[in-house]
Amino acid sequence: MKNKTEIQYAQLRQLLSVSNVSLLTSVSIATILAYVQREVIPFNVIVAWYSFMVLASLLRASQIIIYQRYPSGDAATILGRLTRFRLVILISSQVWGAAGWLLFPAHEPKHQVFLILMLAGMTVGGVVSFSVDLISAIIFSVSVVVPITIRLFTSGEGLFMALGMAMVLYLCFMIMSLLRINRNICDNITLRLEATEREEFVRASEERYRLLLNYSPVGIFHYDTDLVITYCNNRLVDILKRKNESIIGLDMKLLDNQALPSTLRKAFGTQIVHYEGLCCTPFCDADLWLALTCASSRDCNGNIMGGIAIVQDITERKTSEEKINSLAFYDPLTHLPNRRLLMERLHQALSSNTRIGREGALLLIDLDNFKSLNDTLGHHVGDLYLQQIAQRLISCVRKGDTVARLGGDEFVILLETLSGQPMEAATQVRIVGEKILTSLSQPYQLETNEYHSTASVGATLFTGHSLATDELLKQADIAMYQAKKAGRNTVRFFDEKMQERISARFSLEGELRKALGNRQFQLHYQIQVDDSNRAIGAEALIRWNHPLRGMVSPLQFIPLAEETGLILPIGLWVLETACAQLKSWERESSTRDLVLAVNVSAKQFRQAGFVDRVHDAVRRHAINPTRLKLELTESMLVNDIEGIIATMNMLNEIDIQFSMDDFGTGYSSLQYLKRLPLDQLKIDMSFTRDLAVDSDNTIVKTIIAMARSLNLDVIAEGVGTEEQRQLLSSYGCHHYQGYLFGRPVPIKQFEVLVKQGGDRLLSENLHPEDYGLSDDFSPPAGTEEARGNG
């Protein structure tokens, strides 16, 4: 139980804090009452009663002024003030109670009711204002209600006696309510005083804790469950050499070194975790080695609310260890890994590549004419040159690759986790090699001398433990000498055949990049007919007419275009050319009803904005969109089927048609197939070619039956003989494409073929050379050319 004096002081403070409002309200109500009752009560009585009310109010006002000037005091002073307050309340309540006799008119019911309501209201106001002190509240309510009640009982009238009884009940209810309210207020005062005492105790404890933290010889910081630092002591500020404001609020999840956040998360468990790690910016401005011990902190319910970490600076010890390690594993001049560390990493790379099925590579770099530099400008300039070489080599490789110095002017680069395909891996190595040659050929500023130099690079690929580490270095060394024999400043692979293939591939890629701008591409068109040999459409097939190579097969350049991303601009060119051709066909009666099929690659179809590009091409060329058919391969459905369906639906809304090309060779699910807005299935040429084989015969029949059940058109490609056409017709397939009806030819020859009513290209009167095709480019009869993108 709190000290009685403190409780009385709290009661007095609360009584006087609301006295301004209650006093003003009391005077206002008294004024209203006197003004209203002046019509039925003698003037001298009103003046006398109102004068006493003003005096009582002045007494209350004086108490408020004294409290405001002298708010505190000892126990006797507080008790005296509380007693005087109760006395003033008694006087004020007596004046209000006197109104029940003096201001009660004999024969004025309205004014009587008004008086009763005003006194009842004052009773409620008094209970609310003085409920903190039970004696003051009871004095006021009894003194106000009892006189008017007696007046009602002594009137002798039944209604007034009933009102008097009601006033008695009202007074009893008010006293009962007052007791409950007072008890709650007193309990609140007690709790508040106890809370204040606890706060003072906690504040003292916090001050002791603050002194302990700030003058601790180790760094300390607190963090919440989101790993945001909420507090740090002065020692941590000194260790990190940063301002307090830049540490508090730091989100440790954003640190470059994620070992620290990982350790702090572990501390949210039951164990205390020890951590040693290098803390880099933005955690600190200098590289520091910190020994850290951390543990989780919990609230009273056992819930983790963060953690606390203790930090010690062990930089000097770790620096000494690093110096010893550097002497053992790093070249002192360039600070690159030496032969010992390179061999360890190469051994690890061999094991890793075996496990994940990836290729790796070693590149041996020899600086051309390095001995002459040393002899003419001195060894100190040669050292400066080697240091610059090391920095340039590091900038040419990925962060996880290794650049090492074997000694003298020989450097080795270890490339890990390359492509699993040898050709692609070799391409990646060639790109790195060319980048190295370009970087090393830039001029060097060696003191006052500008120096130009080149290098020879030998490369060898490895997969797993097929060769020993020393053997790989020998292969790279042999390839490097091949580079020197080839005139230096070049890259050579240990495998000469691979070198030839890589060179050919790079040459073809360079020419392919120029082909679109030089207008070397053209579209050939292969006719599509019905049972009566009537032309119903065509498939647009891209051809590359190289000025030196001649007609380049799509089998050579389309896969390369896919890998390099050139398929996107090429595919857009094909789409634009096809739309322009459809517009041209609309002007001729023989071609205006033809449907033009354009092959679309998976990369092009998934390209952002593909739908807009198709819509824009259709709109700009003002073609009938139902005459444009996009052919999709079945293999496209393996990945992101939902995205493909969404794209097809958007294109279908503008009446673009779709054909499933090479149907039967992929792995499409029938569940997805029925959701695709297809117009046509295209039987793959591999089934058409072998119709005489029972299994292929059954597959073709099944595809045709399935197309019918899905209300889809069906067309067979690769039809090369009349027997194949007749069999397909008997199975229910009535649209055909193949050499039996016409090869892919340029537009002029195609239009001649259409005007002749679908006569076969390979008839007695028409020959491939009539259409600009050479015999050496034409595939064997009964087969289909590889179609490119488009």
Side-chain angles (χ1 to χ4, degrees):
M1 186 68 180
K2 295 299 298 176
N3 185 283
K4 184 176 181 182
T5 302
E6 293 180 352
I7 295 175
Q8 288 179 340
Y9 180 72
Q11 289 176 317
L12 180 63
R13 185 171 63 249
Q14 188 166 335
L15 285 169
L16 293 174
S17 64
V18 299
S19 289
N20 287 327
V21 177
S22 63
L23 179 59
L24 181 60
T25 303
S26 176
V27 173
S28 300
I29 292 176
T31 303
I32 294 172
L33 180 61
Y35 179 79
V36 172
Q37 298 298 90
R38 79 188 191 288
E39 299 175 356
V40 294
I41 301 298
F43 180 76
N44 58 341
V45 174
I46 291 289
V47 171
W49 178 83
Y50 189 80
S51 298
F52 280 102
M53 178 57 66
V54 171
L55 291 174
S57 299
L58 291 174
L59 287 174
R60 290 185 61 186
S62 65
Q63 285 192 313
I64 295 173
I65 294 172
I66 292 173
Y67 170 76
Q68 291 176 344
R69 291 186 176 181
Y70 309 100
S72 59
D74 55 15
T77 302
I78 293 170
L79 181 59
R81 289 182 178 178
L82 184 59
T83 302
R84 287 191 293 274
F85 181 87
R86 292 169 179 171
L87 180 61
V88 171
I89 293 301
L90 175 62
I91 295 171
S92 179
S93 63
Q94 290 293 334
V95 175
W96 276 105
W101 283 92
L102 299 176
L103 304 183
F104 190 91
H107 303 291
E108 296 292 335
K110 291 182 180 180
H111 289 78
Q112 293 170 353
V113 171
F114 178 78
L115 176 63
I116 293 172
L117 290 176
M118 295 296 281
L119 294 177
M122 282 302 302
T123 304
V124 174
V127 168
V128 172
S129 300
F130 311 130
S131 56
V132 66
D133 180 38
L134 184 61
I135 296 175
S136 297
I138 291 177
I139 289 174
F140 187 87
S141 57
V142 170
S143 298
V144 173
V145 174
V146 168
I148 188 62
T149 303
I150 295 174
R151 181 68 179 83
L152 293 172
F153 276 115
T154 57
S155 65
E157 295 182 17
L159 179 60
F160 283 157
M161 294 182 68
L163 283 173
M165 183 60 68
M167 293 297 289
V168 171
L169 295 175
Y170 175 77
L171 179 62
C172 293
F173 172 79
M174 292 299 296
I175 292 176
M176 292 173 60
S177 299
L178 176 63
L179 292 173
R180 183 172 63 255
I181 294 172
N182 178 261
R183 184 169 59 253
N184 291 338
I185 292 175
C186 290
D187 290 342
N188 289 337
I189 291 175
T190 302
L191 291 174
R192 188 165 63 249
L193 292 173
E194 291 176 351
T196 301
E197 183 177 353
R198 285 195 298 271
E199 287 177 359
E200 292 176 356
F201 177 81
V202 170
R203 192 178 298 110
S205 299
E206 288 178 346
E207 179 62 16
R208 290 193 295 271
Y209 182 67
R210 186 187 64 81
L211 293 173
L212 176 64
L213 290 179
N214 286 336
Y215 294 95
S216 173
V218 295
I220 299 173
F221 67 90
H222 297 169
Y223 55 96
D224 60 21
T225 53
D226 291 326
L227 302 186
V228 175
I229 296 178
T230 57
Y231 168 83
C232 70
N233 67 350
N234 294 333
R235 177 54 183 157
L236 185 66
V237 172
D238 295 336
I239 291 175
L240 300 182
K241 298 179 177 61
R242 294 190 61 174
K243 294 183 179 180
N244 185 286
E245 300 80 23
S246 64
I247 299 176
I248 296 177
L250 177 65
D251 187 350
M252 291 180 285
K253 297 190 297 296
L254 303 179
L255 296 178
D256 292 339
N257 185 355
Q258 284 298 300
L260 176 60
S262 175
T263 300
L264 297 179
R265 289 191 188 94
K266 291 178 183 177
F268 287 153
T270 57
Q271 76 274 32
I272 294 179
V273 182
H274 182 266
Y275 166 80
E276 288 188 9
L278 181 63
C279 297
C280 303
T281 52
F283 193 69
C284 60
D285 294 329
D287 292 341
L288 299 176
W289 283 97
L290 304 177
L292 181 142
T293 303
C294 52
S296 60
S297 58
R298 303 172 184 269
D299 59 18
C300 58
N301 297 321
N303 299 319
I304 294 177
M305 57 183 186
I308 184 172
I310 300 174
V311 180
Q312 289 180 291
D313 185 0
I314 58 170
T315 304
E316 292 185 2
R317 175 166 62 87
K318 296 300 293 185
T319 300
S320 300
E321 293 175 359
E322 288 178 350
K323 287 181 179 179
I324 296 172
N325 183 70
S326 178
L327 292 174
F329 293 102
Y330 290 87
D331 172 55
L333 176 63
T334 62
H335 304 295
L336 294 177
N338 58 17
R339 176 183 286 270
R340 179 179 178 183
L341 182 55
L342 172 67
M343 291 304 176
E344 288 187 9
R345 292 186 179 178
L346 179 56
H347 183 75
Q348 293 173 359
L350 291 171
S351 300
S352 174
N353 285 13
T354 301
R355 184 173 61 257
I356 64 177
R358 293 294 189 92
E359 293 275 341
L362 271 183
L363 282 75
L364 182 61
I365 300 146
D366 185 82
L367 306 178
D368 299 331
N369 303 315
F370 176 71
K371 185 176 184 300
S372 299
L373 173 68
N374 263 344
D375 293 343
T376 55
L377 298 180
H379 289 278
H380 68 288
V381 175
D383 290 345
L384 181 61
Y385 171 60
L386 291 175
Q387 290 172 342
Q388 294 187 25
I389 290 288
Q391 294 303 314
R392 294 190 185 190
L393 291 177
I394 291 173
S395 68
C396 291
V397 299
R398 301 167 299 180
K399 189 175 182 180
D401 297 327
T402 298
V403 179
R405 182 188 177 208
L406 296 186
D409 62 338
E410 285 191 337
F411 294 83
V412 175
I413 293 179
L414 171 61
L415 303 177
E416 299 182 51
T417 62
L418 300 175
S419 171
Q421 301 297 323
M423 279 299 296
E424 292 183 10
T427 301
Q428 293 172 327
V429 175
R430 182 58 182 261
I431 291 173
V432 174
E434 295 291 347
K435 186 177 181 181
I436 290 171
L437 293 179
T438 301
S439 178
L440 298 186
S441 64
Q442 300 300 313
Y444 300 83
Q445 189 63 41
L446 306 177
E447 294 183 342
T448 59
N449 303 288
E450 185 177 273
Y451 180 73
H452 294 265
S453 179
T454 58
S456 300
V457 180
T460 183
L461 297 176
F462 62 85
T463 306
H465 287 286
S466 57
L467 291 174
T469 54
D470 288 335
E471 186 65 24
L472 288 173
L473 279 175
K474 289 180 182 178
Q475 289 186 357
D477 192 60
I478 292 171
M480 184 268 294
Y481 277 105
Q482 289 177 343
K484 283 185 174 293
K485 290 179 180 179
R488 302 185 177 185
N489 195 32
T490 187
V491 180
R492 284 292 182 267
F493 284 82
F494 175 74
D495 185 349
E496 189 61 36
K497 292 182 179 179
M498 178 175 288
Q499 173 65 41
E500 294 175 0
R501 293 196 298 269
I502 290 293
S503 298
R505 175 190 170 93
F506 264 80
S507 175
L508 186 64
E509 180 183 340
E511 294 171 3
L512 182 61
R513 292 184 181 276
K514 300 175 183 177
L516 192 60
N518 294 338
R519 300 183 179 181
Q520 295 173 7
F521 290 117
Q522 57 183 240
L523 288 186
H524 285 195
Y525 301 84
Q526 187 171 27
I527 194 168
Q528 297 174 340
V529 302
D530 59 14
D531 271 337
S532 61
N533 284 351
R534 182 177 61 87
I536 60 173
E539 180 179 3
L541 299 168
I542 191 170
R543 295 293 181 261
W544 182 9
N545 190 7
H546 193 278
L548 299 178
R549 299 173 183 264
M551 197 68 73
V552 181
S553 170
L555 288 175
Q556 290 182 268
F557 72 85
I558 290 299
L560 183 59
E562 289 276 3
E563 293 176 18
T564 58
L566 292 173
I567 197 69
L568 298 178
I570 292 174
L572 182 59
W573 175 85
V574 170
L575 178 65
E576 291 285 346
T577 306
C579 289
Q581 188 58 57
L582 280 172
K583 186 62 179 177
S584 176
W585 283 350
E586 288 182 2
R587 304 185 185 100
E588 298 290 338
S589 59
S590 60
T591 56
R592 66 166 56 103
D593 294 328
L594 295 182
V595 175
L596 184 56
V598 177
N599 291 281
V600 179
S601 73
K603 184 174 292 187
Q604 182 183 4
F605 196 76
R606 295 190 179 96
Q607 183 186 18
F610 176 71
V611 174
D612 294 334
R613 288 181 175 88
V614 175
H615 187 275
D616 180 61
V618 170
R619 178 184 55 79
R620 281 187 293 102
H621 293 283
I623 64 170
N624 183 352
T626 61
R627 301 301 177 194
L628 178 63
K629 182 187 297 179
L630 301 184
E631 290 197 358
L632 312 178
T633 59
E634 191 177 0
S635 59
M636 288 176 59
L637 304 180
V638 176
N639 298 315
D640 191 23
I641 181 65
E642 296 297 336
I644 290 174
I645 292 174
T647 301
M648 291 179 68
N649 284 329
M650 286 188 285
L651 290 171
N652 189 251
E653 290 178 359
I654 60 172
D655 298 326
I656 299 296
Q657 296 191 56
F658 290 97
S659 176
M660 180 62 69
D661 195 9
D662 302 333
F663 189 77
T665 62
Y667 306 94
S668 59
S669 167
L670 295 180
Q671 179 182 3
Y672 290 126
L673 189 62
K674 67 182 182 180
R675 295 174 55 196
L676 297 172
L678 290 172
D679 300 281
Q680 184 184 73
L681 293 183
K682 201 170 192 179
I683 301 173
D684 186 65
M685 68 179 72
S686 61
F687 302 124
T688 306
R689 182 173 56 244
D690 299 323
L691 276 177
V693 180
D694 290 340
S695 59
D696 287 349
N697 189 301
T698 304
I699 291 173
V700 170
K701 291 179 180 179
T702 302
I703 293 173
I704 295 172
M706 180 167 51
R708 286 178 177 174
S709 66
L710 295 174
N711 295 320
L712 299 178
D713 182 23
V714 63
I715 186 172
E717 65 177 351
V719 181
T721 66
E722 181 63 29
E723 180 185 4
Q724 293 171 347
R725 187 195 68 78
Q726 291 178 0
L727 282 173
L728 288 166
S729 179
S730 66
Y731 299 155
C733 176
H734 305 296
H735 294 161
Y736 318 101
Q737 177 182 339
Y739 289 167
L740 181 63
F741 312 99
R743 296 173 181 271
V745 293
I747 185 60
K748 290 183 180 180
Q749 287 78 9
F750 173 80
E751 290 176 347
V752 171
L753 183 64
V754 172
K755 290 177 181 179
Q756 291 179 354
D759 292 339
R760 298 167 192 167
L761 179 63
L762 300 181
S763 66
E764 305 82 31
N765 299 321
L766 298 173
H767 302 281
E769 51 269 21
D770 297 331
Y771 297 92
L773 292 173
S774 61
D775 289 333
D776 60 336
F777 185 70
S778 303
T783 65
E784 188 77 352
E785 286 184 86
R787 57 176 48 83
N789 180 275

